[in-house]
Every structure is written in C-alpha cells, then in structure tokens.
Amino acid sequence: MGKRTKESFKLPKKTYWHLYSLQSLESEKFAKVVNKILKREFVLIK
C-alpha cells in the first residue's frame, strides 16, 4: 500500500452563535464575533 495523504477537511464558517458559546471565547475573539453580529454578518441565537 502507498502512502496515504491526509485530506484536509474544513468546517463551514460558523455564522450562527449562541449566547453560551460566546461566553467561552477569549476576549479578542469575542470582540471580533460581536462586531460581526452587530454588522449582521453573524446571527445571534437566543
């Protein structure tokens, strides 16, 4: 058998955020996500 190459699988970009998932983010990432929510690029789920 030959060498197997690892296929890179990218997850789709996360555009829907729940309040609980925002709580676990680091402050810099949190700020970026909140800015995108305010610009309506991301959606906040309650």
Side-chain angles (χ1 to χ4, degrees), residues 1-39:
M1 292 182 114
K3 265 185 160 180
R4 290 184 81 185
T5 57
K6 197 173 186 181
E7 289 184 39
S8 62
F9 176 76
K10 280 192 163 185
L11 288 171
K13 191 174 181 182
K14 184 172 181 174
T15 54
Y16 289 86
W17 289 85
H18 194 275
L19 291 172
Y20 295 114
S21 61
L22 289 175
Q23 291 176 353
S24 63
L25 293 178
E26 295 175 15
S27 57
E28 193 172 315
K29 175 80 172 174
F30 174 79
K32 288 180 182 179
V33 171
V34 169
N35 281 331
K36 290 196 177 211
I37 291 171
L38 293 173
K39 292 179 188 174

